[in-house]
């Protein structure tokens, strides 16, 4: 019985590891600027097609870092993420993943597959 319990705990720990890098509570504070454009749990943002809530944290972080490094060009985004640290990016990504779903579901909204497709 004890062994089963330990195994269940172990598998929970492993499956929860996507959250381990970023701290969603810190991310909520750090996302204050992102929210105006990308939304939150209670707001769609000015660009509702790129609401980030519910998106995969690893993919969000990867794409955010491409804007940080200038690999992806988008003046609004390059300026918005320029000053972030690696930890800030992980925290913000964890926050958005934890929101679970966009505030305003709508046709044409970007999903994780768009992030994966981006070079
Ligand atoms: C002034 C508005 C604005 C702010 C502030 C902003 N963004 Fe963006 N962001 C955009 C726009 C517009 C796009 C779409 C850019 C494109 O496709 O060229 C985008 C795209 C993204 C994407 C890619 C989404 C996808 O599905 O392709 C990520 C990730 C992202 N932003 C993260 C952030 C984070 C993290 C912050 C806060 C630190 C932030 N953004 C702040 C406007 C903004």
């Amino acid at each position: 019985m004890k062994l089963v319990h330990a195994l269940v705990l172990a598998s929970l720990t492993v499956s929860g590891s996507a959250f381990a890098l970023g701290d969603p509570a810190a991310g909520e504070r750090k996302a204050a600027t992102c929210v105006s454009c990308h939304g939150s749990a209670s707001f769609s943002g000015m660009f509702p097609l790129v609401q980030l809530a519910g998106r995969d944290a690893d993919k969000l972080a990867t794409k955010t870092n491409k804007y940080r490094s200038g690999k992806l060009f988008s003046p609004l985004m390059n300026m918005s993420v320029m000053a972030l640290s690696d930890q800030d990016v992980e925290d913000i990504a964890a926050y958005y993943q934890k929101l679970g779903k966009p505030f305003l579901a709508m046709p044409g909204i970007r999903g994780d597959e768009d992030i994966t497709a981006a070079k």
Side-chain angles (χ1 to χ4, degrees):
M1 213 43 193
K2 270 205 167 124
L3 178 63
V4 171
H5 195 76
L7 285 176
V8 169
L9 269 183
S11 66
L12 281 178
T13 311
V14 171
S15 62
S17 64
F19 287 109
L21 280 170
D23 171 1
E28 181 168 12
R29 270 182 279 118
K30 293 174 180 178
T33 53
C34 323
V35 164
S36 57
C37 292
H38 291 295
S40 68
S42 55
F43 175 53
S44 68
M46 287 191 288
F47 296 92
L49 292 182
V50 278
Q51 290 172 85
L52 300 181
R55 305 279 287 272
D56 180 80
D58 288 341
K59 290 176 182 157
L60 275 186
T62 301
K63 191 153 183 185
T64 302
N65 286 329
K66 287 181 182 170
Y67 288 114
R68 267 172 87 204
S69 67
K71 206 167 176 183
L72 283 175
F73 180 70
S74 167
L76 283 179
M77 269 305 296
N78 298 130
M79 276 190 319
S80 304
V81 298
M82 218 164 48
L84 299 179
S85 70
D86 289 346
Q87 189 63 50
D88 294 340
V89 172
E90 295 296 342
D91 291 347
I92 292 169
Y95 160 67
Y96 271 119
Q97 176 175 296
K98 203 178 171 197
L99 292 183
K101 59 174 172 48
F103 171 70
L104 189 64
M106 58 194 294
I109 195 169
R110 281 196 205 168
D112 287 335
E113 62 286 359
D114 298 302
I115 286 195
T116 314
K119 293 285 165 324

